[in-house]
Amino acid sequence: MSFFKVDNLGIRFGGVVAVDKVSFEVKRGECYTIIGPNGAGKTTIFNLIGLLYPATSGRIFLEDRELTGFSPHQVADLGIARTFQNIELFEHATVLQNLLIGRHRHRKTSLWQELIFTGATRRAELAQREAVEKVIDFLDLAKVRDSLVAGLPYGVRKVVELGRALATEPKLLLLDEPSSGLNPEETDDMAFWIEDIKRHLGVTVLMVEHDMNLVSRVSDRVLALNLGSAIAEGTPAEVQAHPAVIEAYLGKAA
Amino acid sequence: MRFLFKTGYAQDLRLFKHGGQVFWYGLLVALLLAAPFAVGEYGMSQLHFILIYSIVGLGLMLLVGFTGQISLGHAAFLAVGAYTEALLQARGLPFFVSLPVAALLSGALGWVLGLPALRLKGTYLAIATLAFNIIVEEVTARWEGLTGGNSGLHLKPIEMFGIDFGGDASFYYLCLALTVLSILALMNLLRSPTGRAFVAIRDSEISASCMGVNLATYKTMSFALSAAFTGIAGALYAHKVSFISPEQFTLLQSIELITIVILGGVGFIHGAVLGAAFVIVLPQLISIAKDYLPSNIAGSGLQAVVFGLVLIGFIIFEPLGLYGRWLKVRTWFELFPFYRRGMFRRQKSYMKSERLK
């Protein structure tokens, strides 16, 4: 049984082939990274996995279950969580509330129970809070717990978004450029957290990243894309040395 | 300034966060309970309207302030509530049956209106709801067999469990009880998963959906709940004015209702009540002012002009509304002398390039 598999995935927007017959497999417990120059189709693959775009061709499987046919909100229920390249937090809510929304797929109460806030609702809320506090501890977010996201600096927001994805207790975590906009120190923290997520929480990570330093540090395997097609796959060192990858980034030697 | 020392997660679930809140809200409730003994007939009538409009305000706040959807058609739900109540009362059903039915019918219609909201946003949604308002207005005017058309319907005072709610005080307590229950329901909702899902939709639909929030379910649910609140208010409204006809539920009424949430402060429960009070009291102030104004200014259009100016003024100078202003004043006192002008300025949010829809 494969854990997560993308088979022959493709999408075209009119005449533009954004992703062209990409196939890869992610093993349980590894960190798999997709790299590639701008416009290679990395984020598009994430949006295809999240079913935000309908794929033109190909299939996606999580634990041998096909994703096609589900709606975007059901992807979270299946155990896939993601972060966004440009941060999509709930701006006018506190960090705590943002993380609690991550618990949405674990909700147990009905609307009627919530309207009168029954004992069951109270117990459920306390349980959700405890689950969220674990994430807060893990990512060291305690000091901003009650701050509005709208007032937080970029680096902290990035961590909050990671926390929100973790709060869903995913099987597979999609990170879209976790280090973009972070300073070297924050990137370093991010690397530690990704390693911890992999090792201690046992969550499989699928990541899009540009910072090769971070990539080599945390990834087990790397897939290089260019213009929508896969050009190389292997360990970070192998991919970095691959002639097709060098050509995609730097151009052909004269 | 008060600092809360937190010792348990249950503390964050409390409706009242500290003793000060218990005291002030307790005092407010006590004053409201004592009002019939101190306020004259005219004042009581104003209080009735403020409470009824507060319930509408709460419903609209849920939709506009917490779910981020716009509606210019809430007068239609007010109409559905009012007409349901009038028709059921005429058939001899008691209030405790007809009120839930009014809420349910409005809610069902709200659910129907929520369906276009799944595809429309902003201005387009506003126009769809506006059209809905006009449809309901036309139906109530034309369906004479049911609604009495333009000649309207009369209502008798409410009578329940042998108590006559036709009196100023008894009707007031009924309105007050329903308003308090509505506030509690909304507060409960906002501290539970459903309320959080609404807020998530307001702030970012795309990531709400990626967190497992079913946009279709929650948007229609928000419309339905908002309409149900408005239906309850409609039933009370019908009894308050004791005669209803289609021209009470026009587009202008809808605009007045949306004014409640904008003036009160979008995104605050307090805003709904403050806005309702403001919208009811302002016309009274205008009519008092008319006595001192030259007759060519004090025409019938004065109220519309003042309302328009106030609305524009708030949107430009105090987008957080009356409650936002109060927060600023309170913070000024709490932090004296360290208050800064820019404290409540909204920070420009980081660019979002990943808008997919």
Side-chain angles (χ1 to χ4, degrees):
Chain A
M1 182 181 103
S2 67
F3 174 68
F4 181 75
K5 196 165 112 186
V6 165
D7 184 27
N8 231 352
L9 194 65
I11 186 170
R12 7 177 1 128
F13 298 104
V16 182
V17 184
V19 176
D20 189 21
K21 296 187 197 114
V22 172
S23 304
F24 61 91
E25 213 181 305
V26 181
K27 294 191 198 105
R28 191 186 295 275
E30 76 172 337
C31 174
Y32 191 91
T33 305
I34 302 175
I35 62 165
N38 288 328
K42 306 176 298 284
T43 299
T44 310
I45 290 185
F46 272 22
N47 288 338
L48 284 167
I49 295 172
L51 304 180
L52 297 172
Y53 297 150
T56 322
S57 71
R59 300 194 293 176
I60 305 164
F61 300 90
L62 178 70
E63 296 181 323
D64 287 338
R65 193 156 170 200
E66 193 171 349
L67 256 58
T68 339
F70 286 102
S71 359
H73 70 266
Q74 289 169 319
V75 173
D77 291 335
L78 293 173
I80 300 181
R82 73 172 287 181
T83 66
F84 293 83
Q85 189 175 349
N86 291 299
I87 305 187
E88 286 278 344
L89 284 168
F90 309 115
E91 298 261 333
H92 303 290
T94 63
V95 169
L96 182 64
Q97 286 166 333
N98 267 276
L99 297 183
L100 281 168
I101 291 166
R103 302 293 303 166
H104 187 85
R105 78 183 188 100
H106 302 280
R107 88 175 263 197
K108 292 185 187 72
T109 46
S110 71
L111 175 66
W112 308 110
Q113 287 175 310
E114 289 168 13
L115 276 172
I116 50 172
F117 216 77
T118 55
T121 314
R122 177 175 298 276
R123 282 191 296 280
E125 281 302 294
L126 288 174
Q128 306 288 37
R129 177 71 189 269
E130 264 178 53
V132 162
E133 288 295 335
K134 278 188 196 134
V135 176
I136 290 179
D137 273 351
F138 180 71
L139 296 177
D140 199 16
L141 284 169
K143 46 183 186 302
V144 292
R145 189 194 279 124
D146 292 316
S147 323
L148 279 186
V149 169
L152 292 178
Y154 192 88
V156 181
R157 291 179 188 217
K158 209 84 193 174
V159 182
V160 174
E161 208 188 23
L162 176 63
R164 188 181 63 182
L166 283 179
T168 67
E169 290 179 19
K171 291 174 190 153
L172 176 67
L173 180 63
L174 311 184
L175 300 176
D176 199 346
E177 300 201 15
S179 82
S180 74
L182 299 186
N183 64 30
E185 205 179 316
E186 290 166 333
T187 308
D188 212 38
D189 285 343
M190 190 58 85
F192 278 119
W193 278 322
I194 294 172
E195 278 177 343
D196 279 354
I197 289 168
K198 201 172 74 174
R199 292 229 180 86
H200 299 302
L201 304 183
V203 175
T204 312
V205 177
L206 174 59
M207 174 168 89
V208 163
E209 183 53 62
H210 280 297
D211 184 338
M212 283 315 290
N213 222 335
L214 177 67
V215 173
S216 345
R217 218 172 121 184
V218 300
S219 338
D220 298 296
R221 288 188 304 148
V222 175
L223 172 75
L225 286 184
N226 189 30
L227 302 172
S229 320
I231 51 174
E233 191 191 22
T235 63
E238 280 167 18
V239 170
Q240 261 177 299
H242 198 283
V245 176
I246 295 169
E247 192 192 313
Y249 277 95
L250 301 175
K252 221 178 242 169
Chain B
M1 199 173 179
R2 189 186 295 269
F3 289 97
L4 288 180
F5 182 62
K6 293 187 183 171
T7 49
Y9 301 148
Q11 226 172 325
D12 278 341
L13 289 179
R14 283 185 199 155
L15 289 178
F16 299 107
K17 301 289 181 231
H18 51 78
Q21 282 187 344
V22 176
F23 173 77
W24 288 110
Y25 288 113
L27 189 67
L28 178 66
V29 169
L31 284 177
L32 285 172
L33 286 176
F37 304 101
V39 179
E41 198 179 323
Y42 177 74
M44 284 312 292
S45 178
Q46 295 301 87
L47 280 175
H48 293 156
F49 275 117
I50 290 176
L51 290 173
I52 292 168
Y53 272 54
S54 293
I55 300 178
V56 183
L58 291 166
L60 261 175
M61 196 57 85
L62 177 66
L63 186 68
V64 180
F66 296 114
T67 323
Q69 312 294 309
I70 184 87
S71 165
L72 284 179
H74 260 54
F77 301 123
L78 201 65
V80 172
Y83 275 96
T84 310
E85 174 62 24
L87 292 167
L88 292 182
Q89 194 197 31
R91 276 155 189 73
L93 282 162
F95 187 69
F96 62 85
V97 176
S98 59
L99 183 76
V101 174
L104 279 177
L105 261 182
S106 294
L109 213 61
W111 182 80
V112 172
L113 183 61
L115 296 176
L118 303 178
R119 296 186 170 275
L120 302 173
K121 266 188 189 160
T123 332
Y124 302 99
L125 179 59
I127 292 170
T129 54
L130 188 152
F132 171 78
N133 195 142
I134 292 169
I135 292 169
V136 171
E137 194 190 324
E138 282 299 311
V139 169
T140 47
R142 302 287 164 93
W143 195 351
E144 291 177 354
L146 187 72
T147 65
N150 283 318
S151 45
L153 289 174
H154 284 278
L155 287 99
K156 296 187 292 286
I158 304 166
E159 225 189 286
M160 241 186 335
F161 315 115
I163 307 166
D164 176 24
F165 285 95
D168 270 348
S170 51
F171 186 65
Y172 168 80
Y173 286 126
L174 181 67
C175 291
L176 185 62
L178 285 170
T179 308
V180 171
L181 285 178
S182 303
I183 293 174
L184 286 177
L186 195 52
M187 287 174 88
N188 282 340
L189 210 55
L190 288 174
R191 53 178 176 159
S192 344
T194 309
R196 285 198 294 269
F198 289 157
V199 172
I201 290 174
R202 176 190 72 185
D203 286 356
S204 168
E205 286 193 10
I206 184 77
S207 71
S209 147
C210 288
M211 291 294 119
V213 174
N214 186 344
L215 297 181
T217 312
Y218 284 91
K219 275 190 188 176
T220 44
M221 193 194 282
S222 176
F223 265 96
L225 282 170
S226 173
F229 276 112
T230 313
I232 292 172
L236 291 172
Y237 177 86
H239 283 291
K240 175 61 202 161
V241 295
S242 75
F243 168 74
I244 51 169
S245 68
E247 66 257 31
Q248 289 160 337
F249 307 105
T250 57
L251 181 61
L252 277 175
Q253 170 78 292
S254 285
I255 293 172
E256 197 175 315
L257 297 179
I258 200 92
T259 314
I260 295 176
V261 287
I262 294 171
L263 294 190
V266 175
F268 304 107
I269 293 181
H270 296 82
V273 180
L274 287 174
F278 192 82
V279 165
I280 296 301
V281 172
L282 187 63
Q284 310 307 323
L285 295 180
I286 293 171
S287 60
I288 293 169
K290 271 181 182 174
D291 297 340
Y292 302 96
L293 287 171
S295 59
N296 54 348
I297 294 180
S300 56
L302 183 66
Q303 183 171 330
V305 171
V306 173
F307 255 95
L309 285 176
V310 167
L311 195 57
I312 294 170
F314 264 97
I315 289 170
I316 295 175
F317 298 111
E318 190 53 279
L320 294 177
L322 288 169
Y323 188 67
R325 177 48 53 182
W326 156 246
L327 278 182
K328 287 176 192 176
V329 172
R330 199 179 66 183
T331 314
W332 189 87
F333 278 108
E334 278 178 350
L335 296 182
F336 184 83
F338 297 118
Y339 184 80
R340 289 181 290 114
R341 276 182 74 91
M343 259 176 154
F344 280 85
R345 188 169 298 157
R346 294 228 177 124
Q347 209 184 359
K348 203 174 146 203
S349 53
Y350 293 99
M351 192 189 68
K352 297 185 177 185
S353 59
E354 235 170 330
R355 291 285 180 218
L356 298 157
K357 287 172 192 164

